[in-house]
Amino acid sequence: MGESVSEISNICRFCLSQDGLIPISKATASLFTIEDVEHFTGIQISDEKQLSFAMCENCCKTLENSTSFRRTCTNNDVIFKQLFSILVESVGADINLK
């Protein structure tokens, strides 16, 4: 069993690449959360399996970019809604003045 675990940690859990691998537990400790991984990949990874699975630098960067994009969108959503509300009020005021 120990040998098969070491063999599975030699490929990326997502794209199956064997290049530039890092443990998933290391990536999720600093770049994104395990919830982000599950959200963007649709793959659930239990805490104990994080220790034996790896991911490649390309998948890591893709997940980091996806997480960053999602955070930017959700943060900007509040501002957009405020701007939209102001615009709607402005258009309503213009209609009432005519």
Side-chain angles (χ1 to χ4, degrees):
M1 176 78 176
E3 187 174 315
S4 60
V5 169
S6 70
E7 287 177 16
I8 203 71
S9 67
N10 291 329
I11 61 171
C12 176
R13 173 61 180 89
F14 307 108
C15 73
L16 307 180
S17 171
Q18 294 181 313
D19 299 324
L21 298 174
I22 60 170
I24 288 179
S25 58
K26 183 178 178 182
T28 58
S30 60
L31 303 174
F32 39 79
T33 66
I34 196 66
E35 290 81 16
D36 292 327
V37 172
E38 292 174 357
H39 176 80
F40 289 109
T41 66
I43 297 170
Q44 292 184 337
I45 299 174
S46 62
D47 289 339
E48 62 272 2
K49 289 186 179 176
Q50 284 186 53
L51 300 174
S52 59
F53 290 161
M55 62 189 302
C56 72
E57 292 172 353
N58 288 336
C59 286
C60 190
K61 189 64 176 171
T62 298
L63 278 167
E64 185 179 8
N65 289 340
S66 297
T67 301
S68 176
F69 179 70
R70 185 170 191 270
R71 285 185 188 134
T72 298
C73 291
T74 56
N75 290 339
N76 288 341
D77 185 51
V78 173
I79 297 168
F80 178 83
K81 288 177 180 176
Q82 291 170 347
L83 292 171
F84 185 75
S85 176
I86 291 168
L87 178 64
V88 168
E89 288 175 21
S90 172
V91 169
D94 286 346
I95 292 172
N96 291 333
L97 292 175
K98 291 182 180 179

